[in-house]
Amino acid sequence: MTAYEFSADPARLDVDWVHAILSTTFWARGRSRATMDAVVAASRNYAMYADDGAQVAYARAVTDGATFAWIADVIVHPDHRRQGLGTRIVDGLMADLERLGLKRVLLKASPDGHELYRRAGFDTLDEPETWLGRRLR
């Protein structure tokens, strides 16, 4: 049985792996490596590693570090799914963010991820009609 380790250490992150796996998703397909590098540099990054040191999951948070964060790009390699790694990486990410004393953490979950995020304490927005968005591209 494989043992897994959570890490928030940016020095351990395998950005080549992150770019490759996110390129397979509907939400990040076509994201260039230059864009991925900018995303990683501007985010708090989290990963899960197998006992052989290989990265097997990724998530990130964009935050001002004081009041707000947005979670994005949560993904587990298909060969390592159904082992609780999605839950573990989100729990580790949230523990890290909770230390900042933020007021709100948001995310846009894919339909198959709603249960994972509900277990982590997420719920629908209060007064969603007060939230607006603007797509730039």
Side-chain angles (χ1 to χ4, degrees):
M1 179 176 213
T2 302
Y4 296 97
E5 178 189 4
F6 171 83
S7 177
D9 180 357
R12 290 184 67 188
L13 198 64
D14 182 346
V15 182
D16 290 330
W17 182 89
V18 172
H19 181 251
I21 195 161
L22 286 176
S23 295
T24 68
T25 67
F26 68 89
W27 71 87
R29 188 171 291 118
R31 188 182 290 173
S32 72
R33 176 54 195 263
T35 298
M36 191 71 243
D37 289 344
V39 161
V40 166
S43 301
R44 293 175 79 98
N45 299 279
Y46 307 91
M48 296 294 300
Y49 298 92
D51 50 15
D52 65 359
Q55 187 171 337
V56 297
Y58 175 74
R60 68 186 179 95
V62 181
T63 182
D64 61 15
T67 64
F68 176 82
W70 170 59
I71 297 173
D73 293 337
V74 178
I75 191 156
V76 176
H77 188 281
D79 292 347
H80 297 270
R81 290 182 183 157
R82 304 280 180 236
Q83 298 184 58
L85 298 182
T87 298
R88 287 183 58 192
I89 198 166
V90 170
D91 287 350
L93 176 155
M94 289 305 301
D96 185 57
L97 294 179
E98 286 169 2
R99 289 192 288 274
L100 301 176
L102 306 176
K103 182 177 180 181
R104 184 177 300 262
V105 177
L106 295 179
L107 59 84
K108 181 179 180 192
S110 60
D112 60 342
H114 281 230
E115 187 55 35
L116 165 76
Y117 298 112
R118 286 190 194 287
R119 285 193 309 266
F122 286 84
D123 202 351
T124 55
L125 292 175
D126 295 335
E127 302 176 0
E129 67 279 1
T130 65
W131 291 86
L132 301 174
R134 179 177 172 187
R135 190 174 293 272
L136 300 178
R137 289 193 259 150

